[in-house]
Amino acid sequence: MDTFLINAFEPQEGRWYCWNVNGAVGYLKKEGTRWQTAVQVLPFKDMTDDFYGPREEVPPEGLPRSVMVGPGTALTLRPVLSEKPYLVPVQERLCLVPATEAHFTVLFPPALAFETEDNQRIAAFTPFTCSEAWFGDDTASGALCVSLPPRCLTRHPEEASSAPPSLIRCPLVIRNRSKTPLELDRLAIYTEPLSIYEHKGSLWSDTVALDATVGGNIEMNVLPEIPEAYRKIREAPRNDTGDFLIRQGADFIKNITSL
């Protein structure tokens, strides 16, 4: 992966620069404390192989522009997880008998943020548009999710490693610790407890475990083991994850299984 997604860059005054992230393009120009930005997004299914930046380039005429006023000399275009949960369909209905587990990798399309060296956010945008879907029985117990296509869930490590560099790879283990079979046709992953890492040119999140329990719940947990070679580039925005994850457990079992 080109390090422009994690390394700082100091733009020259009054010049436009562009970052092309698999076909989505972010533009930025600095004039003193005035930062001007423009973005060109595309549907997730239309991602390209283009991946470069920053490069001097003026945004197309008619592309809406935004202005942010604030101090700073250098900035970074950083990947961010969606604030909404990711909803992923399982291509082949998954059935786990008790005391078994299955391993996958989920490919998350990121959000992106221009940030200065003191972590001041200049602008943020979603480079790849996805449809949205409701996960839950009602507005009190559910959530509006980013709906991903089935190809974003894979069991094959080579598919994860060859995925576009802007995607965030999330290792996933589903464990049936209950006494009855567990059936899944879709799953939701909440992003609050997840940090982002870089390793050998790829972006990774923490490993997520979905645990079906004897009590009839599914609990989402973040596994603590992080390989030493992984470099953390964004801290999870939420650290008090225990109560949140356990509370969401009943929603998982009710909404994504057929038990």
Side-chain angles (χ1 to χ4, degrees):
M1 180 185 70
D2 191 310
T3 54
F4 73 75
L5 281 183
I6 53 179
N7 285 352
F9 167 72
E10 187 168 337
Q12 295 188 35
E13 294 282 333
R15 297 186 180 183
W16 279 105
Y17 296 88
C18 82
W19 288 255
N20 192 313
V21 183
N22 291 130
V25 187
Y27 299 89
L28 178 138
K29 181 172 69 171
K30 180 182 184 298
E31 295 176 311
T33 59
R34 185 176 184 269
W35 304 82
Q36 190 172 177
T37 58
V39 298
Q40 195 166 26
V41 303
L42 76 165
F44 186 37
K45 64 181 179 63
D46 295 334
M47 302 179 69
T48 71
D49 293 331
D50 295 324
F51 199 77
Y52 60 82
R55 175 185 297 179
E56 284 195 42
E57 185 176 317
V58 178
E61 290 292 333
L63 193 64
R65 303 178 184 184
S66 301
V67 174
M68 172 73 176
V69 177
T73 57
L75 69 123
T76 301
L77 182 60
R78 290 187 177 274
V80 186
L81 287 165
S82 165
E83 294 182 356
K84 298 185 176 97
Y86 292 100
L87 185 64
V88 190
V90 179
Q91 292 189 28
E92 299 177 353
R93 193 173 190 78
L94 177 67
C95 180
L96 293 179
V97 299
T100 60
E101 63 184 43
H103 293 257
F104 300 90
T105 301
V106 187
L107 302 173
F108 294 150
L112 295 173
F114 284 112
E115 296 179 350
T116 62
E117 63 269 31
D118 59 354
N119 297 320
Q120 173 67 48
R121 182 165 293 187
I122 299 299
F125 63 101
T126 301
F128 311 113
T129 57
C130 298
S131 60
E132 296 182 337
W134 187 259
F135 177 72
D137 289 343
D138 51 54
T139 56
S141 64
L144 186 63
C145 301
V146 177
S147 182
L148 302 182
R151 62 185 174 86
C152 288
L153 182 69
T154 178
R155 294 185 181 182
H156 306 293
E158 62 275 11
E159 291 183 2
S161 62
S162 63
S166 61
L167 299 185
I168 301 169
R169 295 142 180 82
C170 173
L172 170 68
V173 55
I174 304 173
R175 304 182 290 206
N176 188 0
R177 295 177 172 174
S178 71
K179 296 181 178 180
T180 57
L182 172 69
E183 294 186 18
L184 298 174
D185 58 9
R186 59 181 181 146
L187 53 90
I189 298 177
Y190 290 78
T191 62
E192 286 91 334
L194 300 180
S195 297
I196 301 176
Y197 307 84
E198 185 274 337
H199 177 61
K200 291 185 176 180
S202 296
L203 299 173
W204 294 85
S205 76
D206 292 293
T207 298
V208 169
L210 298 183
D211 294 319
T213 66
V214 174
N217 291 336
I218 291 185
E219 298 175 357
M220 175 180 156
N221 297 288
V222 175
L223 300 186
E225 298 84 7
I226 303 297
E228 290 186 6
Y230 280 41
R231 177 162 63 114
K232 183 180 290 187
I233 59 174
R234 181 170 294 277
E235 185 76 35
R238 182 175 184 143
N239 294 317
D240 56 335
T241 58
D243 290 342
F244 169 82
L245 300 173
I246 293 173
R247 177 168 53 84
Q248 294 289 354
D251 293 337
F252 274 110
I253 198 72
K254 180 171 59 178
N255 295 313
I256 68 174
T257 79
S258 60
L259 298 179

